[in-house]
Coordinates of all heavy atoms in Angstrom, one line a residue:
M1 N 22.0 -0.3 -9.6 CA 20.6 -0.3 -9.2 C 20.5 -0.5 -7.7 O 21.2 -1.3 -7.1 CB 19.8 -1.4 -9.9 CG 18.4 -1.5 -9.5 SD 17.6 -2.8 -10.5 CE 16.0 -2.7 -9.9
S2 N 19.7 0.4 -7.0 CA 19.6 0.4 -5.6 C 18.8 -0.9 -5.1 O 18.0 -1.4 -5.8 CB 18.9 1.6 -5.1 OG 18.7 1.5 -3.7
D3 N 19.1 -1.3 -3.9 CA 18.4 -2.5 -3.4 C 17.2 -2.0 -2.6 O 16.5 -2.8 -2.0 CB 19.3 -3.4 -2.6 CG 19.8 -2.7 -1.3 OD1 19.8 -1.4 -1.3 OD2 20.3 -3.4 -0.4
Q4 N 16.9 -0.7 -2.6 CA 15.8 -0.1 -1.9 C 15.0 0.8 -2.7 O 15.6 1.5 -3.7 CB 16.2 0.6 -0.6 CG 16.7 -0.4 0.5 CD 16.7 0.3 1.9 OE1 16.9 1.4 2.0 NE2 16.4 -0.6 2.8
T5 N 13.8 1.0 -2.5 CA 12.9 1.9 -3.2 C 12.3 2.8 -2.1 O 11.9 2.4 -1.1 CB 11.8 1.2 -3.9 OG1 12.4 0.3 -4.8 CG2 10.9 2.1 -4.7
Q6 N 12.2 4.1 -2.4 CA 11.5 5.1 -1.6 C 10.2 5.5 -2.2 O 10.1 5.8 -3.4 CB 12.4 6.4 -1.4 CG 13.6 6.2 -0.6 CD 14.3 7.5 -0.4 OE1 14.7 7.8 0.7 NE2 14.5 8.3 -1.4
L7 N 9.2 5.6 -1.3 CA 7.9 6.0 -1.8 C 7.2 6.7 -0.6 O 7.7 6.7 0.5 CB 7.0 4.9 -2.2 CG 6.6 3.8 -1.2 CD1 5.3 3.2 -1.6 CD2 7.7 2.7 -1.1
H8 N 6.1 7.4 -0.9 CA 5.4 8.1 0.2 C 4.1 7.4 0.4 O 3.3 7.2 -0.5 CB 5.1 9.6 -0.2 CG 6.4 10.4 -0.3 ND1 7.2 10.4 -1.5 CD2 7.0 11.2 0.6 CE1 8.2 11.2 -1.2 NE2 8.1 11.7 0.0
I9 N 3.8 7.2 1.7 CA 2.5 6.6 2.0 C 1.8 7.5 3.0 O 2.4 7.8 4.1 CB 2.6 5.2 2.6 CG1 3.3 4.2 1.6 CG2 1.3 4.7 3.1 CD1 3.5 2.8 2.1
D10 N 0.7 8.1 2.6 CA 0.0 9.1 3.4 C 1.0 10.2 3.9 O 0.9 10.6 5.0 CB -0.7 8.4 4.6 CG -1.8 7.5 4.1 OD1 -2.4 7.7 3.0 OD2 -2.1 6.6 4.9
G11 N 1.9 10.6 3.0 CA 2.8 11.7 3.3 C 4.1 11.3 4.0 O 5.0 12.1 4.2
Q12 N 4.1 10.0 4.4 CA 5.3 9.5 5.2 C 6.3 8.8 4.2 O 5.9 8.0 3.4 CB 4.8 8.5 6.2 CG 6.0 8.0 7.1 CD 5.5 7.0 8.1 OE1 4.3 7.0 8.4 NE2 6.4 6.2 8.7
L13 N 7.5 9.2 4.3 CA 8.6 8.6 3.4 C 8.9 7.2 3.9 O 9.2 7.1 5.1 CB 9.8 9.5 3.4 CG 11.0 9.0 2.5 CD1 10.5 9.0 1.0 CD2 12.2 9.8 2.7
V14 N 8.8 6.3 3.1 CA 9.0 4.9 3.4 C 10.1 4.3 2.5 O 10.0 4.5 1.3 CB 7.7 4.1 3.3 CG1 7.9 2.6 3.6 CG2 6.6 4.7 4.2
R15 N 11.0 3.5 3.1 CA 12.0 2.8 2.3 C 11.7 1.3 2.4 O 11.5 0.8 3.5 CB 13.4 3.0 2.8 CG 13.8 4.4 2.4 CD 15.2 4.6 2.8 NE 15.6 6.0 2.5 CZ 16.4 6.7 3.2 NH1 17.0 6.3 4.2 NH2 16.6 8.0 2.8
V16 N 11.6 0.6 1.3 CA 11.3 -0.8 1.3 C 12.3 -1.5 0.3 O 13.0 -0.8 -0.5 CB 9.9 -1.1 0.8 CG1 8.9 -0.6 1.8 CG2 9.6 -0.6 -0.6
K17 N 12.4 -2.8 0.4 CA 13.3 -3.6 -0.4 C 12.8 -3.4 -1.9 O 11.5 -3.5 -2.1 CB 13.3 -5.0 0.0 CG 14.2 -5.9 -0.8 CD 14.2 -7.3 -0.2 CE 15.1 -8.2 -1.1 NZ 15.2 -9.5 -0.6
A18 N 13.6 -3.2 -2.8 CA 13.2 -3.1 -4.2 C 12.5 -4.4 -4.6 O 12.8 -5.5 -4.2 CB 14.4 -2.9 -5.1
G19 N 11.4 -4.2 -5.3 CA 10.6 -5.3 -5.8 C 9.4 -5.6 -4.8 O 8.6 -6.5 -5.1
S20 N 9.3 -4.9 -3.7 CA 8.3 -5.1 -2.7 C 6.9 -4.6 -3.3 O 6.9 -3.7 -4.1 CB 8.5 -4.4 -1.4 OG 9.7 -4.9 -0.8
S21 N 5.9 -5.2 -2.8 CA 4.5 -4.8 -3.2 C 4.1 -3.6 -2.3 O 4.7 -3.4 -1.2 CB 3.5 -5.9 -3.1 OG 3.3 -6.2 -1.7
V22 N 3.2 -2.8 -2.8 CA 2.7 -1.7 -2.0 C 2.0 -2.3 -0.7 O 2.1 -1.7 0.4 CB 1.7 -0.8 -2.8 CG1 1.0 0.2 -1.9 CG2 2.4 -0.2 -3.9
A23 N 1.4 -3.4 -0.8 CA 0.8 -4.1 0.4 C 1.9 -4.3 1.5 O 1.7 -4.1 2.7 CB 0.1 -5.4 0.0
A24 N 3.1 -4.8 1.1 CA 4.2 -5.0 2.0 C 4.6 -3.6 2.6 O 5.0 -3.6 3.8 CB 5.3 -5.7 1.3
A25 N 4.7 -2.6 1.8 CA 5.1 -1.3 2.2 C 4.1 -0.8 3.3 O 4.5 -0.1 4.3 CB 5.2 -0.3 1.1
L26 N 2.8 -1.0 3.1 CA 1.8 -0.6 4.1 C 2.1 -1.3 5.4 O 1.9 -0.7 6.5 CB 0.4 -1.0 3.6 CG -0.1 -0.2 2.4 CD1 -1.4 -0.8 1.9 CD2 -0.3 1.3 2.8
R27 N 2.5 -2.5 5.4 CA 2.9 -3.2 6.6 C 4.0 -2.5 7.3 O 4.1 -2.5 8.6 CB 3.1 -4.6 6.4 CG 3.3 -5.5 7.6 CD 3.0 -6.9 7.4 NE 3.2 -7.7 8.5 CZ 2.2 -7.9 9.5 NH1 1.0 -7.4 9.3 NH2 2.5 -8.6 10.5
V28 N 5.0 -2.0 6.6 CA 6.1 -1.3 7.2 C 5.6 -0.1 7.9 O 6.1 0.3 9.0 CB 7.1 -0.9 6.1 CG1 8.2 0.0 6.6 CG2 7.8 -2.2 5.5
V29 N 4.6 0.6 7.4 CA 4.2 1.9 7.9 C 3.4 1.6 9.2 O 3.7 2.3 10.2 CB 3.3 2.6 6.9 CG1 2.6 3.8 7.6 CG2 4.1 3.1 5.8
D30 N 2.4 0.8 9.2 CA 1.5 0.7 10.4 C 1.7 -0.7 11.1 O 1.0 -0.9 12.1 CB 0.1 1.0 10.0 CG -0.6 -0.1 9.2 OD1 0.1 -1.2 8.9 OD2 -1.7 0.1 8.8
G31 N 2.4 -1.6 10.6 CA 2.6 -2.9 11.2 C 1.5 -3.8 11.0 O 1.6 -5.0 11.4
K32 N 0.4 -3.4 10.4 CA -0.8 -4.2 10.1 C -1.0 -4.4 8.7 O -1.7 -5.4 8.3 CB -2.0 -3.6 10.8 CG -1.9 -3.4 12.3 CD -3.1 -2.6 12.8 CE -2.9 -2.2 14.2 NZ -3.8 -1.2 14.6
G33 N -0.5 -3.5 7.8 CA -0.8 -3.6 6.4 C -2.2 -3.2 6.0 O -2.7 -3.4 4.9
A34 N -2.8 -2.5 6.9 CA -4.2 -2.0 6.7 C -4.3 -0.8 5.7 O -3.5 0.1 5.8 CB -4.9 -1.7 8.0
A35 N -5.2 -0.9 4.8 CA -5.4 0.2 3.9 C -6.7 0.8 4.1 O -7.0 1.9 3.7 CB -5.2 -0.2 2.4
R36 N -7.7 0.1 4.6 CA -9.0 0.5 4.8 C -9.5 0.1 6.1 O -8.9 -0.7 6.9 CB -9.9 -0.2 3.7 CG -9.4 0.0 2.3 CD -10.1 -0.8 1.3 NE -11.5 -0.4 1.2 CZ -12.5 -1.3 1.0 NH1 -12.2 -2.5 0.7 NH2 -13.7 -0.9 1.0
T37 N -10.7 0.7 6.5 CA -11.3 0.3 7.8 C -12.7 -0.1 7.5 O -13.3 0.4 6.5 CB -11.3 1.4 8.8 OG1 -11.9 2.6 8.2 CG2 -9.8 1.8 9.2
S38 N -13.3 -0.9 8.4 CA -14.7 -1.3 8.2 C -15.5 -0.2 8.8 O -15.0 0.8 9.3 CB -14.9 -2.6 9.1 OG -14.9 -2.3 10.4
V39 N -16.8 -0.3 8.7 CA -17.8 0.7 9.2 C -17.6 0.9 10.7 O -18.0 2.0 11.2 CB -19.2 0.4 8.8 CG1 -19.4 0.5 7.3 CG2 -19.7 -0.9 9.3
T40 N -17.1 -0.1 11.4 CA -16.9 0.1 12.8 C -15.5 0.6 13.2 O -15.2 0.7 14.3 CB -17.2 -1.3 13.5 OG1 -16.2 -2.2 13.0 CG2 -18.6 -1.8 13.3
G41 N -14.7 0.8 12.1 CA -13.4 1.4 12.4 C -12.3 0.3 12.5 O -11.1 0.6 12.7
Q42 N -12.6 -0.9 12.4 CA -11.7 -2.0 12.4 C -10.8 -2.0 11.2 O -11.3 -1.8 10.1 CB -12.4 -3.4 12.5 CG -13.2 -3.6 13.8 CD -12.3 -3.6 15.0 OE1 -11.2 -4.2 15.0 NE2 -12.7 -2.8 16.0
P43 N -9.5 -2.2 11.3 CA -8.6 -2.2 10.1 C -8.9 -3.4 9.2 O -9.2 -4.5 9.7 CB -7.2 -2.3 10.7 CG -7.4 -2.8 12.1 CD -8.7 -2.4 12.6
R44 N -8.8 -3.2 7.9 CA -9.0 -4.2 6.9 C -7.8 -4.3 6.1 O -7.3 -3.3 5.6 CB -10.2 -3.9 6.1 CG -11.5 -3.8 6.8 CD -12.6 -3.5 6.0 NE -13.0 -4.6 5.2 CZ -14.2 -4.8 4.7 NH1 -15.1 -3.9 4.9 NH2 -14.5 -5.9 4.0
A45 N -7.2 -5.5 6.0 CA -6.0 -5.7 5.3 C -6.2 -6.7 4.2 O -7.2 -7.3 4.1 CB -4.9 -6.2 6.3
P46 N -5.2 -6.8 3.3 CA -5.3 -7.7 2.2 C -5.6 -9.1 2.8 O -4.9 -9.6 3.7 CB -3.9 -7.7 1.5 CG -3.4 -6.4 1.9 CD -3.9 -6.0 3.2
F47 N -6.5 -9.8 2.2 CA -6.9 -11.1 2.6 C -6.3 -12.2 1.7 O -5.7 -13.2 2.2 CB -8.4 -11.3 2.6 CG -8.9 -12.6 3.1 CD1 -8.8 -13.0 4.4 CD2 -9.5 -13.5 2.2 CE1 -9.2 -14.3 4.8 CE2 -10.0 -14.7 2.6 CZ -9.8 -15.1 3.9
C48 N -6.4 -12.0 0.4 CA -6.0 -13.0 -0.5 C -4.5 -12.8 -1.0 O -3.9 -13.8 -1.3 CB -6.9 -13.1 -1.7 SG -6.9 -11.7 -2.8
G49 N -4.1 -11.6 -1.2 CA -2.8 -11.3 -1.7 C -2.6 -11.6 -3.2 O -1.5 -11.6 -3.7
M50 N -3.7 -11.8 -3.9 CA -3.7 -12.0 -5.3 C -4.7 -11.2 -6.1 O -5.0 -11.5 -7.2 CB -3.8 -13.5 -5.7 CG -5.0 -14.2 -5.2 SD -4.9 -15.9 -5.5 CE -6.5 -16.4 -5.0
G51 N -5.2 -10.2 -5.5 CA -6.1 -9.3 -6.2 C -7.6 -9.7 -6.3 O -8.4 -9.0 -7.0
V52 N -8.0 -10.7 -5.6 CA -9.4 -11.1 -5.6 C -10.2 -10.5 -4.6 O -11.4 -10.0 -4.9 CB -9.5 -12.7 -5.5 CG1 -10.9 -13.1 -5.4 CG2 -8.7 -13.4 -6.6
C53 N -9.7 -10.3 -3.4 CA -10.6 -9.8 -2.3 C -10.8 -8.3 -2.4 O -11.8 -7.8 -1.8 CB -10.0 -10.2 -0.9 SG -8.5 -9.3 -0.4
Q54 N -10.0 -7.5 -3.0 CA -10.1 -6.1 -3.2 C -10.0 -5.3 -1.9 O -10.3 -4.1 -1.8 CB -11.4 -5.8 -3.8 CG -11.8 -6.5 -5.1 CD -11.1 -5.8 -6.3 OE1 -11.2 -4.6 -6.5 NE2 -10.5 -6.6 -7.1
E55 N -9.5 -5.9 -0.8 CA -9.4 -5.3 0.5 C -8.2 -4.3 0.5 O -8.1 -3.5 1.5 CB -9.3 -6.3 1.6 CG -10.5 -7.1 1.9 CD -11.7 -6.2 2.4 OE1 -11.4 -5.2 3.1 OE2 -12.8 -6.5 2.1
C56 N -7.3 -4.3 -0.4 CA -6.1 -3.5 -0.4 C -6.2 -2.3 -1.4 O -5.2 -1.8 -1.7 CB -4.9 -4.3 -0.6 SG -4.8 -5.1 -2.2
R57 N -7.4 -1.9 -1.8 CA -7.5 -0.8 -2.7 C -7.0 0.5 -2.1 O -7.4 0.8 -0.9 CB -9.0 -0.6 -3.1 CG -9.5 -1.7 -4.0 CD -10.9 -1.5 -4.3 NE -11.6 -2.0 -3.1 CZ -12.9 -1.8 -2.8 NH1 -13.6 -1.1 -3.6 NH2 -13.4 -2.3 -1.7
V58 N -6.1 1.1 -2.8 CA -5.5 2.4 -2.4 C -5.4 3.3 -3.6 O -5.6 2.8 -4.7 CB -4.2 2.2 -1.7 CG1 -4.2 1.5 -0.4 CG2 -3.2 1.5 -2.6
Q59 N -5.1 4.6 -3.4 CA -4.9 5.5 -4.4 C -3.4 5.6 -4.6 O -2.6 5.9 -3.7 CB -5.4 6.9 -4.1 CG -5.4 7.8 -5.2 CD -6.7 8.4 -5.6 OE1 -7.7 8.0 -5.0 NE2 -6.8 9.4 -6.4
I60 N -2.9 5.2 -5.8 CA -1.5 5.3 -6.1 C -1.3 6.2 -7.3 O -1.8 6.0 -8.4 CB -1.0 3.9 -6.5 CG1 -1.2 2.9 -5.3 CG2 0.5 3.9 -6.9 CD1 -0.8 1.5 -5.6
D61 N -0.5 7.3 -7.0 CA -0.3 8.3 -8.0 C -1.6 8.7 -8.7 O -1.7 8.9 -10.0 CB 0.7 7.8 -9.1 CG 2.1 7.7 -8.4 OD1 2.4 8.3 -7.4 OD2 2.9 6.9 -9.0
G62 N -2.6 8.9 -7.9 CA -3.9 9.4 -8.4 C -4.9 8.4 -9.0 O -5.9 8.8 -9.5
R63 N -4.5 7.1 -9.0 CA -5.4 6.1 -9.6 C -5.6 5.0 -8.5 O -4.8 4.6 -7.7 CB -4.7 5.4 -10.8 CG -4.5 6.4 -11.9 CD -3.9 5.7 -13.1 NE -4.6 4.5 -13.5 CZ -4.0 3.4 -14.1 NH1 -2.8 3.4 -14.4 NH2 -4.7 2.4 -14.3
R64 N -6.9 4.5 -8.5 CA -7.2 3.4 -7.6 C -6.6 2.1 -8.1 O -6.8 1.8 -9.2 CB -8.8 3.3 -7.5 CG -9.5 4.5 -6.9 CD -9.2 4.6 -5.5 NE -10.1 3.7 -4.7 CZ -10.0 3.6 -3.4 NH1 -9.1 4.3 -2.7 NH2 -10.8 2.8 -2.7
R65 N -5.9 1.5 -7.2 CA -5.2 0.2 -7.6 C -5.2 -0.7 -6.4 O -5.4 -0.3 -5.3 CB -3.8 0.5 -8.1 CG -3.8 1.4 -9.3 CD -2.4 1.9 -9.7 NE -1.7 0.8 -10.3 CZ -0.4 0.9 -10.7 NH1 0.2 2.1 -10.7 NH2 0.2 -0.1 -11.1
L66 N -4.8 -1.9 -6.7 CA -4.7 -2.9 -5.6 C -3.3 -3.0 -5.1 O -2.3 -3.2 -5.9 CB -5.1 -4.3 -6.2 CG -6.5 -4.5 -6.6 CD1 -6.7 -5.8 -7.2 CD2 -7.5 -4.2 -5.5
A67 N -3.1 -2.7 -3.8 CA -1.7 -2.7 -3.2 C -1.0 -4.0 -3.4 O 0.2 -4.0 -3.6 CB -1.8 -2.3 -1.8
C68 N -1.7 -5.1 -3.3 CA -1.1 -6.4 -3.4 C -0.6 -6.8 -4.8 O 0.3 -7.6 -5.0 CB -2.0 -7.5 -2.9 SG -3.4 -7.9 -3.9
Q69 N -1.1 -6.0 -5.8 CA -0.7 -6.3 -7.2 C 0.2 -5.3 -7.8 O 0.4 -5.3 -9.0 CB -2.0 -6.5 -8.0 CG -2.9 -7.6 -7.6 CD -2.2 -8.9 -7.8 OE1 -1.9 -9.3 -8.9 NE2 -2.0 -9.7 -6.7
T70 N 0.6 -4.3 -6.9 CA 1.4 -3.2 -7.4 C 2.8 -3.2 -6.8 O 2.9 -3.2 -5.6 CB 0.7 -1.8 -7.1 OG1 -0.6 -1.9 -7.7 CG2 1.4 -0.7 -7.7
V71 N 3.8 -3.2 -7.6 CA 5.2 -3.2 -7.1 C 5.6 -1.7 -6.9 O 5.2 -0.8 -7.6 CB 6.1 -3.8 -8.2 CG1 7.6 -3.6 -7.7 CG2 5.8 -5.2 -8.4
C72 N 6.2 -1.5 -5.7 CA 6.6 -0.1 -5.4 C 7.6 0.4 -6.4 O 8.5 -0.3 -6.9 CB 7.4 -0.1 -4.0 SG 6.3 -0.6 -2.6
A73 N 7.4 1.7 -6.7 CA 8.3 2.4 -7.6 C 8.9 3.7 -7.0 O 8.2 4.2 -6.1 CB 7.5 2.8 -8.9
E74 N 10.0 4.0 -7.3 CA 10.7 5.2 -6.8 C 9.8 6.4 -6.9 O 9.3 6.8 -8.0 CB 12.0 5.4 -7.5 CG 12.9 6.4 -6.8 CD 13.5 5.9 -5.4 OE1 13.6 4.7 -5.3 OE2 13.8 6.7 -4.6
G75 N 9.6 7.1 -5.7 CA 8.8 8.3 -5.7 C 7.3 8.2 -5.8 O 6.5 9.1 -5.8
M76 N 6.8 6.9 -5.8 CA 5.4 6.7 -5.8 C 4.7 7.3 -4.6 O 5.2 7.4 -3.6 CB 5.2 5.1 -5.8 CG 3.8 4.6 -5.8 SD 3.8 2.8 -5.7 CE 4.0 2.4 -7.4
R77 N 3.5 7.8 -4.9 CA 2.7 8.4 -3.8 C 1.4 7.5 -3.6 O 0.6 7.4 -4.5 CB 2.3 9.8 -4.1 CG 3.5 10.7 -4.2 CD 3.2 12.2 -4.1 NE 4.4 12.9 -4.1 CZ 5.1 13.2 -3.0 NH1 4.6 12.8 -1.8 NH2 6.2 13.9 -3.0
V78 N 1.3 7.0 -2.4 CA 0.2 6.2 -2.0 C -0.7 6.9 -1.0 O -0.2 7.4 0.0 CB 0.7 4.8 -1.4 CG1 -0.5 3.9 -1.0 CG2 1.6 4.1 -2.4
E79 N -2.0 6.9 -1.2 CA -2.9 7.4 -0.2 C -3.9 6.3 0.2 O -4.6 5.8 -0.6 CB -3.7 8.6 -0.8 CG -2.8 9.8 -1.3 CD -2.2 10.5 -0.1 OE1 -2.8 10.5 1.0 OE2 -1.1 11.1 -0.3
T80 N -4.0 6.1 1.5 CA -4.9 5.0 2.0 C -6.2 5.6 2.4 O -7.2 4.9 2.5 CB -4.3 4.3 3.2 OG1 -4.1 5.2 4.3 CG2 -3.0 3.6 2.8
T81 N -6.3 6.9 2.5 CA -7.6 7.5 3.0 C -8.3 8.2 1.9 O -9.4 8.7 2.1 CB -7.3 8.5 4.1 OG1 -6.4 9.5 3.6 CG2 -6.7 7.9 5.3
A82 N -7.8 8.2 0.7 CA -8.5 8.9 -0.5 C -9.6 8.0 -1.0 O -9.7 6.8 -0.9 CB -7.5 9.1 -1.6

C-alpha cells in the first residue's frame, strides 16, 4: 500500500499523504484550504473541521460533499468551483 494518494483538484494533480482529508488536500493546492468565496470574493475555508459549518462544500466525483469529512481516494476528482 502506497503512503500517498493522488487526486485531481480543479484539474490539478495533487499528491497527499494517504488518509488525508480533502480539506487538507485543498490546503496543499492553494495554501489556504479555501473551497469557496464570499460575495466579496474573500476566501472561505473550513471553520469547524467536523462538518458543522458547511464552509468546505465541494463537488467530489460529481456529488456535493464536505471536504473536511471526506478522505482522499486514488483518482478522486474534486471541483471547488462547481
Side-chain angles (χ1 to χ4, degrees):
M1 182 172 176
S2 174
D3 62 343
Q4 292 201 324
T5 301
Q6 290 186 130
L7 66 152
H8 293 85
I9 298 179
D10 295 332
Q12 181 179 344
L13 182 62
V14 178
R15 290 186 180 145
V16 295
K17 183 177 179 181
S20 296
S21 70
V22 172
L26 290 171
R27 187 155 178 91
V28 169
V29 171
D30 71 3
K32 301 174 190 162
R36 305 173 60 213
T37 57
S38 70
V39 292
T40 61
Q42 296 295 317
R44 298 177 76 156
F47 179 71
C48 70
M50 57 186 186
V52 175
C53 74
Q54 308 276 312
E55 290 295 328
C56 62
R57 287 175 284 167
V58 292
Q59 187 126 353
I60 300 174
D61 293 335
R63 294 181 51 209
R64 297 289 280 176
R65 297 173 70 180
L66 297 175
C68 72
Q69 297 296 299
T70 306
V71 176
C72 294
E74 192 70 26
M76 178 182 275
R77 295 196 175 274
V78 178
E79 299 291 332
T80 62
T81 56

